[in-house]
Amino acid sequence: MTVVGPFGLSVRDQALEADVQAGLAAVEEGLLEATKSGVPFITEAAQHLVRAGGKRFRPLLVTLAAQFGDPHAPGVVPSAVVVELTHLATLYHDDVMDEADVRRGVPSANANWDNSVAVLTGDFLFARASHLLADLGPEAVRIQAEAFERLVTGQILETAGPGAGRDPIAHYLDVIAGKTGSLIAVAGRFGAMMAGADERVVDILTQYGERLGTAFQLADDVLDIASDSRESGKTPGTDLREGIPTLPVLHLRAAAERHGRPEDRELCALLDGDLTDDAVVTEALRRLREHPALEQARQDTVRYAEEARATLVPLPDGPAKAALESLCDAVVHRAG
């Protein structure tokens, strides 16, 4: 058994391991090439998060999905670069909206420079992704455009909040299906499609990516509360400070409304108060870590990961399928 990539995927087949390692190395080269500019400052800003590393979760999924066709087909690596560039661009924009200071263990672009540089660098990465997409054909452009629309819609829905009478948890799950699930679904789809896999296989891997993407985001929600910055690469409680309603907090609020326990209402009031004080955030994190809502969010993560695993059943058994199943386990382990 070999651990591949920063995400920690277990691979038990030497040929698959070699393919995945080579694919990820080619993607890394492609990312550095795609983020070069004739203006040195733009190159520095665009490569800031590329060089900080990251899990490369989406390129990994592209590479694994391609195993159900020709993994060496010419469109596989460029499509993985497109997906990761798009993801990186959203991180630059997210850090501006969240006023985050740390990303992937390094100062965020907005902290390193300013908000304008961060936003414009994100736009630059979108432009480079579009340039690569043009060479992959109109179908790839359409798929990416639809996913990006869903991604932005999810972000807007998060900002707007649930409408009157709408269950906040159901609303939130819709938000993350758009914000996170849509692009990870594209990773599965591009990998299989560019490799020439059967249309049924492409559909299965698209559905798998959507469900796994939701589990991946829910694991991040748990990490924002349960981990320290060394594990997550960003400051714990970032979402709390910005008032972003992550799943553990939504479960807490639902429990407070349903049962009316004084301690739940008190914790909700703490979260609704001034979270600019580090001591207050530390106390809120401590109490959330002890609350059943955090375990409830962990169980939701497991459920979505198991749904992702179930979609794989029709695929032929083999190392690639086993690796995708292992990816479900890796996502759940992050939330453990």
Side-chain angles (χ1 to χ4, degrees), residues 15 80 93 98 121 123 146 160 172 210 229 265-266 271 294 319:
H93 289 176
D98 299 343
T121 302
D123 293 344
E146 289 175 353
Y172 180 67
E210 178 99 12
S229 57
R265 293 182 181 275
E266 184 181 327
L271 295 174
L294 185 61

Side-chain angles (χ1 to χ4, degrees), residues 240-292:
L240 291 184
R241 291 176 188 272
E242 297 307 315
I244 296 172
T246 58
L247 192 62
V249 173
L250 290 174
H251 278 314
L252 164 68
R253 294 189 187 281
E257 186 173 328
R258 188 166 57 248
H259 303 298
R261 289 188 292 262
E263 59 270 29
D264 291 349
R265 293 182 181 275
E266 184 181 327
L267 180 51
C268 287
L270 185 67
L271 295 174
D272 291 334
D274 181 10
L275 293 178
T276 59
D277 186 330
D278 287 346
V280 174
V281 174
T282 298
E283 174 63 12
L285 287 171
R286 183 190 68 77
R287 295 175 65 173
L288 277 169
R289 287 165 183 166
E290 297 172 352
H291 197 279

